[in-house]
Amino acid sequence: MSEAARDFLHRERLVIADLIALLGRLDAHKEDLQELRTALEDLEGLFMLVVCGEYNAGKSTFLNALLGHKVMLEGVTPTTDRITIVTYGDRARDTEEGDFILRREFPAPILQELALVDTPGTNAVIQKHQELTERFVPRADLVLFVTSADRPFTESERRFLELIRSWGKKVVVVVNKFDILEPDEREKVLEFVRDHAREALHESIEVAPQVFGVAAKSAFRARQAGDEAALAASGLPALEDFIERTLSAGARVQLKLASPLGVAHRIAARYARTTQERLALLADDRRTLQEVDRQLEQFKRDMYRGFESYLTQVKTVLIEVERRGDVFFDDTVRLRRILQLMDNERIREAFEARVIRGADKEIDGVVAEMVDWFISSNLQVWEDMMNFVTTRRQAGEERLIGEVGGRFQYDRDALIRGLSASAEEVLSSYNQDLEARRLANALQASAVQTGLIQVGGIGLGAAAVAFLSGAALDATGIVAGITMAGLGFLVLPNRRRVAKRNLHEQMQRLRDGLAESLTAQFEAELRRATDKLSAAISPYTRFVRSESDRLEELQGDLERAERELKALRREVETLDLSAPSTRGKRPPRAQETPALETPSTSGAQPSERERARKRNA
């Protein structure tokens, strides 16, 4: 191997090793990581010429014609049920390599330069056969794609060629059973296959894929009979010459070095798409979470506005009590009612009947309505949460669940399921009556704690009335010191003003105290509700944010890896392999790496294949 090739190989290994480590951070499938490791290991192996195509296209017959012996089974039904790697050996021998790979040794001269790989037919009724072939394609250094002249280039063949191309493999197309075509049809069929293969392989118009017409069965019979004219007419020698010219030692090294790069680039590109898909899904999640945050803020604003409305209603009840109190004092504290004023109990009863009348029920009604509103609004938020969960689950199921995969999808689904379970538990266990009593008691307790209201357990309205009855009206104080012979004409107006002033002060105290205590309790209840909701969402929120940051970093690393792989693929096409290495050269053995070590054959001497062909003749 030249120094340039050795240096390139070293850099290639480093880039692919970095990619393996990077994909490990991305939770890549074990099969993909093994694919990359196998691609690196194959650099030390034989050059693999992989024969693919649909069942009954004549792949095994074609291989037998190339080898000059009946090495592979043939038949009209699918006969190859595993990957068969045919390599050079002193005698014919089969070795099982796992459940799906058979290594077959055979003493054919062509196998000293490369390994021929027979694959199960695609588009067969046995799905496993196609899967085996698709899984082995990444290991190919060159693909010979065999189609049949009686059904050239089917739709399934087009799809399979696109798969091959996605791995970055060089492809040569063979139209087998060419002898069944009339002479005037042959060039048309070749042109048809060439055009469609170019499209499937995404080749430019200027560089069409190589397409050869071959009659493999005729070629095999001609080679067995030593009929050179019939062999030439079969089209096989033209293909063999092309393979020999194309697969000179330098070209084999280039294809061998390029093969892992194609595999690595395809896998890196796929995970770059997966990462982008994950980020797109998380971007949707982020927008949804932002909308949830916006809705929570709007929920808080709406709750404050609603609470202010209810608080205003409570204040309105008290203001009306205060207005009636003014009217009561103006009407009651008069000289002509001096005798009635002397009866404290009667005045108190009159005050309660005319001033307080029904205020307790009005206050309790407003508070009860506020409690129901609060509970209903809180439940609505949790129902909105359930809608959020449903939306996110559907987004995962409908869009990307099969493509995203891995730990990411598992973690995301688990968090959403947990959030769904939490929301369902809250909704199913929410006892509105019990919660209403708790909230009402909490509101009253908050008022009691201010010291304004001393009575508990009788409802907030009744407690407020008790305050009014006990503090706002001191009938005895109104007439204290007044006698029939006293200065009633001077004292009573002053006493009336004092009583009204005291009432106003007490009512203001009550309004302010209730507003303060109810607001404090409302804010505590609102925090309790939103904190519970935020706590339910927070694991998913953290996941979305942390995964977004992690994936954005990985996306940058994958983009750099793709750029490095593309640069290496361009470089290997222009790699100078003419200067051989001077470090410890020794002749290669067939089981080692002739693809990287075999020196170029001289154009002045006949090739081993040509000599073997003459011996067979």
Side-chain angles (χ1 to χ4, degrees), residues 134-329:
E134 291 178 355
R135 283 165 50 191
F136 199 82
V137 165
R139 299 187 63 181
D141 298 310
L142 175 67
V143 174
L144 285 181
F145 188 82
V146 181
T147 185
S148 180
D150 57 355
R151 43 180 175 80
F153 212 87
T154 63
E155 173 61 19
S156 58
E157 287 178 323
R158 181 192 65 78
R159 291 195 300 269
F160 193 73
L161 270 181
E162 289 179 342
L163 172 67
I164 294 173
R165 177 61 181 172
S166 71
W167 288 107
K169 303 300 179 181
K170 182 176 177 61
V171 180
V172 176
V173 181
V174 177
V175 181
N176 194 19
K177 306 177 187 179
F178 208 54
D179 50 349
I180 69 173
L181 300 174
E182 296 297 329
D184 61 340
E185 297 177 334
R186 293 177 181 178
E187 187 55 39
K188 293 179 182 178
V189 170
L190 290 179
E191 190 64 26
F192 172 81
V193 172
R194 187 177 295 113
D195 289 345
H196 285 80
R198 178 194 295 121
E199 181 182 349
L201 296 170
H202 306 293
E203 298 284 359
S204 64
I205 299 298
E206 295 79 7
V207 185
Q210 292 290 332
V211 180
F212 292 89
V214 173
K217 190 169 287 188
S218 299
F220 180 78
R221 287 197 295 262
R223 181 155 284 171
Q224 291 292 306
D227 188 342
E228 288 293 327
L231 182 62
S234 71
L236 184 62
L239 174 60
E240 289 178 321
D241 290 341
F242 171 79
I243 292 174
E244 185 167 350
R245 291 194 309 273
T246 302
L247 299 185
S248 63
R252 285 203 305 277
V253 171
Q254 283 182 316
L255 287 173
K256 196 71 173 172
L257 291 173
S259 182
L261 296 176
V263 173
H265 185 268
R266 182 182 191 271
I267 293 176
R270 176 150 51 83
Y271 278 95
R273 289 192 300 271
T274 297
T275 302
Q276 187 58 46
E277 289 166 353
R278 292 181 177 183
L279 284 170
L281 182 57
L282 290 173
D284 287 345
D285 286 342
R286 271 190 162 179
R287 284 189 291 271
T288 303
L289 288 172
Q290 288 169 355
E291 179 62 19
V292 169
D293 289 341
R294 191 189 70 79
Q295 292 289 346
L296 278 177
E297 289 303 315
Q298 186 62 46
F299 168 71
K300 291 177 183 178
R301 288 192 292 271
D302 291 344
M303 293 297 284
Y304 271 106
R305 279 197 295 269
F307 172 73
E308 288 296 332
S309 173
Y310 286 110
L311 189 59
T312 298
Q313 292 182 52
V314 171
K315 289 180 178 179
T316 299
V317 172
L318 296 177
I319 289 172
E320 179 61 20
V321 169
E322 185 176 357
R323 185 195 66 77
R324 293 198 299 262
D326 282 346
V327 172
F328 175 82
F329 285 126

Side-chain angles (χ1 to χ4, degrees), residues 9-42:
L9 178 60
H10 175 69
R11 289 185 289 124
E12 180 177 1
R13 287 184 182 281
L14 289 178
V15 169
I16 295 179
D18 288 345
L19 177 60
I20 291 173
L22 175 58
L23 294 182
R25 291 162 52 200
L26 196 55
D27 314 314
H29 295 297
K30 292 180 180 178
E31 294 80 1
D32 292 325
L33 297 177
Q34 186 56 44
E35 204 82 68
L36 289 170
R37 296 187 186 99
T38 300
L40 286 178
E41 292 169 2
D42 284 345

